[in-house]
Amino acid sequence: MTGADARIRISEIFGPTIQGEGVLIGQPTVFVRTGGCDYRCGWCDTLHAVDSAYRDEWKPMSVEAIWAEVERLSGGVPLTVSLSGGNPAIQPLGPLIEHGNRRGYRFALETQGSIAKGWFENLDTLVLSPKPPSSGMETDWHALQNCLDMAASKPQTVLKIVVFDDADYAFARHAAARFPHLPVYLQPGNHTPPPPDDDEAVVDIDGVMDRMLWLVGKVTEDRWFAARVLPQLHVLLWGNRRGV
Ligand code: SF4
């Protein structure tokens, strides 16, 4: 099975809602979340799209079936589709992006930058989110550079880095120094694990806001004026609930 026939492993499709983080924060969007990830971050907040225990929930879907759902949710009005995961770069998303582009939709993709695909250049926004030390993962900077090479400067491309502590902050500064041409979005980490069911989304909002204040203090003390510091808006609004 190749090209337009390839199935895409989908964890969930939902919206319209708003993008809750990073460069597109506040923008109405439909999320297409793929299943599967080559990482396993200690604080992952989308385990239902990562952990193989949820594999039975992931559906292999055709471009047409995904698109029918995106059009139903958006009412046929073009908007930005957020491709998320897991790591959506694992999936064969090129034909879906071409299909949507022909209908006036735009695409934003977030990935940790471990896998590069040729279709990155057809995105409108590429969010590269290398994972800091607190995740327990190690960044392959060459792989991240490959992602940039594949994007070929066509999509708007940014770095988004979750920060829990001083080591993460140092990592963010290192990443920004490696890629000085990329805008940097810093995001205070959210320790709260996702709830076992959608009705019980409890988040340590005070902890998130304390970390936000600490991070704002770090950036301003350092005179790191190119950085943007943003909380996860959807977490403040809805906790870690799925499907919003
Ligand atoms: Fe979760 Fe993202 Fe880490 Fe994958 S890369 S385990 S989706 S936080």
Side-chain angles (χ1 to χ4, degrees), residues 130 141 144-145 148 159 161 168-186 224 226-227:
W141 297 107
L144 201 87
Q145 180 61 53
L148 288 169
L159 287 175
I161 301 172
D168 289 356
Y169 182 78
F171 173 90
R173 294 230 63 162
H174 174 76
R178 281 189 95 109
F179 304 102
H181 58 296
L182 297 181
V184 181
Y185 289 78
L186 303 178
W224 188 10

Side-chain angles (χ1 to χ4, degrees), residues 37 39-41 43-46 50 85-87 112 131:
C37 189
Y39 274 25
R40 186 63 188 266
C41 302
W43 35 250
C44 178
D45 60 359
T46 53
V50 172
N87 184 1
Q112 62 266 44
K131 302 307 175 196

Side-chain angles (χ1 to χ4, degrees), residues 125-163:
T125 303
L126 174 61
V127 179
L128 294 171
S129 184
K131 302 307 175 196
S134 64
S135 69
M137 305 304 299
E138 202 160 317
T139 294
D140 178 343
W141 297 107
H142 294 294
L144 201 87
Q145 180 61 53
N146 282 343
C147 292
L148 288 169
D149 293 344
M150 288 294 184
S153 301
K154 290 184 182 160
Q156 158 181 240
T157 302
V158 302
L159 287 175
K160 193 195 76 181
I161 301 172
V162 173
V163 177

Side-chain angles (χ1 to χ4, degrees), residues 29-119:
T29 188
V30 165
F31 277 87
V32 174
R33 187 184 303 287
T34 61
C37 189
D38 48 321
Y39 274 25
R40 186 63 188 266
C41 302
W43 35 250
C44 178
D45 60 359
T46 53
L47 273 181
H48 60 287
V50 172
D51 194 330
S52 57
Y54 294 87
R55 185 174 280 269
D56 290 348
E57 293 181 12
W58 305 341
K59 279 193 256 166
M61 293 176 72
S62 66
V63 166
E64 289 72 22
I66 295 167
W67 199 253
E69 186 61 1
V70 170
E71 283 211 312
R72 185 185 74 77
L73 292 169
S74 63
V77 179
L79 83 177
T80 296
V81 176
S82 296
L83 303 169
S84 188
N87 184 1
I90 290 174
Q91 302 294 321
L93 292 172
L96 178 71
I97 294 166
E98 284 172 26
H99 192 87
N101 279 342
R102 284 197 294 273
R103 287 155 182 82
Y105 286 70
R106 299 169 300 281
F107 288 86
L109 176 131
E110 176 168 336
T111 176
Q112 62 266 44
S114 54
I115 295 170
K117 290 287 174 69
W119 45 261

